[in-house]
Amino acid sequence: MGFFSSSSTVRKMGSYSKERLMAVLGLTGLIAGALAVGIGLTVLLAIYVNKTAGGIVFLLMCLGLAFGVMPYVDRKFFRMRAAFAYIATEVLIRKTPMPEEGTVAQATTRLSERFGSLDPVVDAHNNVQRLSRSFFRAFDKFDHILPIDLNSLRSALVWVVNRIAPRIADIALSYAVARQDKDIKESSKDAVALVAQNPKPLIGAAVRSYLTEQFLGGLFGFLFTAAACAAVFALAYKTSGSLTHGIPVDGAKTVGVFAGGFASLLIGIPVGALAAWFLRTAYLEPIGLTMLLARFHSTIEGQSVDPAMRTRIENASSNLRKASKLLG
């Protein structure tokens, strides 16, 4: 399934796209609001009370973000991710029509009913990521075998593995939903074994879907950044004229250029980066996951889990030798 057909499939998933968009907007606003309030209080206290009080407030803001706001945001995003795996599987495999309202709530309710709660889903998701990442550790021994520096290769592999591991975890949840299994832990190991049995099409599809998201998001971010920088530069250059009375024309132009350039970099680049992140999170990621899940289910159709592969998967985290053979 290609990008555009996957985009069409996502539009058939009821209100999921709208709910995800509103969730991303709301959680982004929550983080931005917490930062704005915390920084504002810090500045006011540092100016009108004393710097120690401002420092204490800033520390409390950082702790609140790290241990309060971010875990809450992480739980919300995981809930959306798990709901999407359920919805996409129902649409792709069973052609189930999704409700036009409350799609995410219905999906999470179905997942909770099947697995008792979302806690087993979280545990299985993390376990699959650990299994996927454990394969990389088999490469560490190469430093002692070959007379060349493999740090660059290892770093590149770490980068790839860390980014496709969550997608393999999404595959595992989709597999459990498709089979209607209630033991998601065991079903997830079967799914990882099937991925290991079909590494070229499935891991390749995971990498391609990720790179597609990054490329399109980066392209949009670049264009948006360029437009934002140009608009901010023009505005700053124009308004700087009121601040350069009495300065020679050439000097006033130079001041205007520096002011516009500094303002465009200070405002345009963060705005462009935020826009790119928003597009990837709210729109491109569901399309990429749909591409991957469609490829997974079409690839494994009619296949059974190899018991030997399943055993290697179970022992991968504790037996690097077997993990090395599996990776090879």
Side-chain angles (χ1 to χ4, degrees):
M1 182 177 288
F3 180 85
F4 294 105
S5 57
S6 297
S7 177
S8 177
T9 302
V10 171
R11 288 196 292 269
K12 298 176 183 178
M13 296 181 184
S15 61
Y16 179 83
S17 297
K18 180 176 69 176
E19 291 184 66
R20 187 182 180 100
L21 176 64
M22 297 307 298
V24 173
L25 283 173
L27 295 175
T28 303
L30 175 63
I31 296 173
L35 283 171
V37 171
I39 293 173
L41 286 175
T42 299
V43 172
L44 290 175
L45 288 174
I47 293 175
Y48 295 105
V49 181
N50 58 63
K51 294 181 180 180
T52 302
I56 292 173
V57 169
F58 184 79
L59 176 62
L60 292 175
M61 178 197 71
C62 293
L63 292 174
L65 284 172
F67 298 104
V69 176
M70 295 311 297
Y72 172 78
V73 171
D74 187 62
R75 287 194 299 271
K76 288 295 184 180
F77 273 130
F78 181 81
R79 180 174 177 269
M80 298 293 296
R81 191 182 192 106
F84 181 81
Y86 175 87
I87 296 166
T89 305
E90 291 292 326
V91 172
L92 290 169
I93 304 301
R94 300 188 179 91
K95 313 299 181 184
T96 305
M98 291 291 112
E100 294 301 323
E101 296 294 335
T103 308
V104 173
Q106 179 181 355
T108 51
T109 299
R110 295 287 185 271
L111 288 172
S112 297
E113 290 174 350
R114 179 167 300 175
F115 303 117
S117 68
L118 287 183
D119 291 338
V121 179
V122 174
D123 293 339
H125 197 275
N126 293 332
N127 186 55
V128 170
Q129 292 190 66
R130 285 194 295 271
L131 286 173
S132 302
R133 292 182 174 120
S134 69
F135 301 147
F136 163 73
R137 293 200 296 272
F139 278 94
D140 290 348
K141 66 184 70 173
F142 286 178
D143 279 344
H144 305 290
I145 298 175
L146 300 178
I148 58 175
D149 184 8
L150 295 178
N151 285 333
S152 298
L153 176 61
R154 292 171 58 199
S155 298
L157 184 61
V158 168
W159 186 87
V160 171
V161 170
N162 285 340
R163 279 149 186 80
I164 68 170
R167 295 164 189 265
I168 297 176
D170 293 325
I171 286 175
L173 176 56
S174 177
Y175 181 75
V177 171
R179 292 183 53 184
Q180 297 184 339
D181 288 336
K182 292 187 177 181
D183 190 343
I184 188 172
K185 182 178 180 180
E186 296 302 314
S187 182
S188 294
K189 293 178 181 178
D190 287 342
V192 176
L194 287 168
V195 172
Q197 290 171 211
N198 303 275
K200 185 175 180 179
L202 296 181
I203 296 179
V207 174
R208 283 195 299 274
S209 67
Y210 175 79
L211 293 179
T212 299
E213 294 171 27
Q214 295 301 308
F215 173 76
L216 294 177
L219 179 62
F220 174 80
F222 173 78
L223 296 175
F224 196 90
T225 299
C229 287
V232 172
F233 179 88
L235 180 62
Y237 184 81
K238 183 177 182 180
T239 56
S240 66
S242 61
L243 304 175
T244 56
H245 292 299
I247 300 178
V249 175
D250 291 341
K253 289 182 178 179
T254 302
V255 171
V257 169
F258 274 103
F262 179 76
S264 64
L265 293 176
L266 185 65
I267 299 174
I269 291 179
V271 168
L274 181 62
W277 173 83
F278 179 82
L279 179 70
R280 285 196 300 266
T281 305
Y283 182 67
L284 295 177
E285 186 178 281
I287 296 175
L289 289 176
T290 301
M291 294 169 59
L292 178 58
L293 294 178
R295 183 61 180 273
F296 170 75
H297 289 292
S298 64
T299 300
I300 69 165
E301 186 174 2
Q303 289 190 28
S304 57
V305 177
D306 183 354
M309 184 67 71
R310 169 63 189 263
T311 301
R312 291 176 179 178
I313 290 296
E314 291 177 337
N315 296 334
S317 59
S318 59
N319 192 327
L320 294 183
R321 182 172 58 84
K322 289 185 179 180
S324 178
K325 291 181 180 179
L326 174 61
L327 187 61

